Structures are given as C-alpha cells and as structure tokens.
C-alpha cells in the first residue's frame, strides 16, 4: 500500500513537472503507471490532494537533504555555504520547477498553500538554527538568524524564478558569487572567511 502510494507520488511529480499543476490530470498520473483513475482517487480522493501530496513528497526529500548538509561535522560557516550553494538555482536541488508551480497554484488552492507554506517555514528554520549556532559559537555575528534566513531564501527563490522561467539571463558563476556575497553579508564576515 505504501509502495503504491510512493509510485503514485513519483508519477505525479513527474507529470506536474512536464505539464504544470493546472494541466495535469488524474488520468495522466494513472497512465504513467498503467493503473486506473480509480486507484489514484482511492489514495488521494481529489486532484488537489494528489498535487499537494506530490509537492510535499518532493519538497520533503529536498528538505531531508538540506538537513543532511546542515548536520555535517564542520563549522557552521561551511555548512551554511554548502547548503546555500546546494539550494541555489545552479545547485543540485531538483525541485525548482515544482516550487514555482506550487507558488502559482497556491494562489487558488488553500491546501497546497498550507503545505508549501509549512515546508517553506521548515527551510527557513533549518537555516536559522545553524546561523544561530554559528553566532553562539563566535564564528560570526548575527543578531537575527531568522531574518537572515528569510533574506537568504528570498534571494535564492528570486534567482530560481529568473533562471527557471527565463533562458539563462545569469551565468552560474554570477549566481554563485551573489549567493556567497549575500551569505557573507548576512554573517558579517568577509568573502575570504566564507571561502576559507
């Protein structure tokens, strides 16, 4: 039962990425796996619930990876830089198309808005916790870790929209330089200390 649900969620993520939230249908997800629409509806009851669950499934996988990066045994600065570079639109986070779809669909879908909002807050909280830890350890100075996390994720989200929605207006090198500059500024350290 759990295995079938996992398959349905993976298929839904794939179809949302290909078709978009507005155009994806229960039938599209069912067809990928060669199952009936009824089976998909048995597990999720509505397209909205399927979309919200698929988004949560994909976003939670990225969140688990973020926690792994932030949980490494190294300095807070190194963990934060690794996390920000991974999360950046040029990094290895796979969910940018899905996040952008979710943001747009959330304007009209309260269930998806709640799921996306909760996951977004978890991202910010994870970053803020490591910023707070690094400040407490004296690695850098940051009076308001949560605000710093908000500003960092806002920059990365905005860059993701630019690179995902438009054909490469910024180079990978430029975006990584900007993310390093923003992180160094938020931590109150110079670029050399960030990259050491």
């Amino acid at each position: 039962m759990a295995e079938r649900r996992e398959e349905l969620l993976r298929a839904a993520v794939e179809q949302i990425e290909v078709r978009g939230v507005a155009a994806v249908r229960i039938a599209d997800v069912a067809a990928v796996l060669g199952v009936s629409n009824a089976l998909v509806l048995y597990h999720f009851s509505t397209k909205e619930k399927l979309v919200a669950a698929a988004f949560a499934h994909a976003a939670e996988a990225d969140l688990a990876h973020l926690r792994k990066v932030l949980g490494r045994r190294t300095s807070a600065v190194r963990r934060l830089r690794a996390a920000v570079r991974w999360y950046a639109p040029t990094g290895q986070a796979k969910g940018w198309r899905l996040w952008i779809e979710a943001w747009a669909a959330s304007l009209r879908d309260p269930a998806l808005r709640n799921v996306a909002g909760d996951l977004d807050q978890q991202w910010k909280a994870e970053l803020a916790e490591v910023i707070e830890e690094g400040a407490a350890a004296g690695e850098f100075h940051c009076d308001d870790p949560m605000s710093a996390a908000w500003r960092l994720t806002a920059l990365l989200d905005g860059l993701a929209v630019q690179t995902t929605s438009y054909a490469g207006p910024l180079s990978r090198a430029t975006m990584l330089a900007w993310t390093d500059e923003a992180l160094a500024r938020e931590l109150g350290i110079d670029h050399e200390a960030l990259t050491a």
Side-chain angles (χ1 to χ4, degrees):
M1 186 79 114
E3 192 174 305
R4 175 60 75 178
R5 183 178 170 85
E6 178 85 15
E7 288 176 336
L8 291 168
L9 290 172
R10 282 195 309 267
V13 168
E14 174 189 305
Q15 290 301 302
I16 291 166
E17 288 177 338
V18 169
R19 300 172 188 276
V21 170
V24 74
R25 302 171 305 147
I26 294 286
D28 300 322
V29 175
V32 167
L33 297 173
V35 300
S36 69
N37 292 0
L39 179 68
V40 179
L41 290 169
Y42 170 78
H43 284 278
F44 299 100
S45 75
T46 67
K47 173 189 161 180
E48 291 75 20
K49 288 181 181 176
L50 172 64
V51 167
F55 174 74
H57 174 74
E60 285 169 358
D62 276 349
L63 189 56
H65 184 80
L66 175 72
R67 288 179 175 131
K68 185 178 175 183
V69 170
L70 292 175
R72 293 177 182 160
R73 291 186 175 175
T74 187
S75 70
V77 169
R78 283 188 176 191
R79 287 181 284 152
L80 288 164
R81 184 169 190 245
V84 167
R85 290 173 77 86
W86 175 78
Y87 180 75
T90 58
Q92 296 171 335
K94 296 179 178 138
W96 281 117
R97 289 186 70 84
L98 201 60
W99 270 101
I100 292 168
E101 284 286 341
W103 290 332
S106 291
L107 296 172
R108 290 169 193 82
D109 182 346
L112 185 56
R113 182 172 39 248
N114 290 338
V115 168
D118 178 60
L119 289 162
D120 183 65
Q121 290 304 309
Q122 288 182 56
W123 277 90
K124 289 171 174 57
E126 293 291 333
L127 290 174
E129 184 178 318
V130 177
I131 294 170
E132 189 172 332
E133 179 187 316
E139 288 185 45
F140 49 79
H141 180 77
C142 182
D143 289 330
D144 189 351
M146 185 54 83
S147 293
W150 270 82
R151 287 187 295 271
L152 285 168
T153 57
L155 170 68
L156 296 171
D157 292 347
L159 289 173
V161 170
Q162 292 294 313
T163 59
T164 305
S165 300
Y166 311 115
L170 297 171
S171 72
R172 173 178 165 73
T174 298
M175 278 192 288
L176 290 176
W178 288 357
T179 59
D180 278 351
E181 289 168 14
L183 181 58
R185 198 169 35 252
E186 290 296 341
L187 302 182
I189 60 177
D190 58 32
H191 190 266
E192 291 72 32
L194 181 66
T195 58

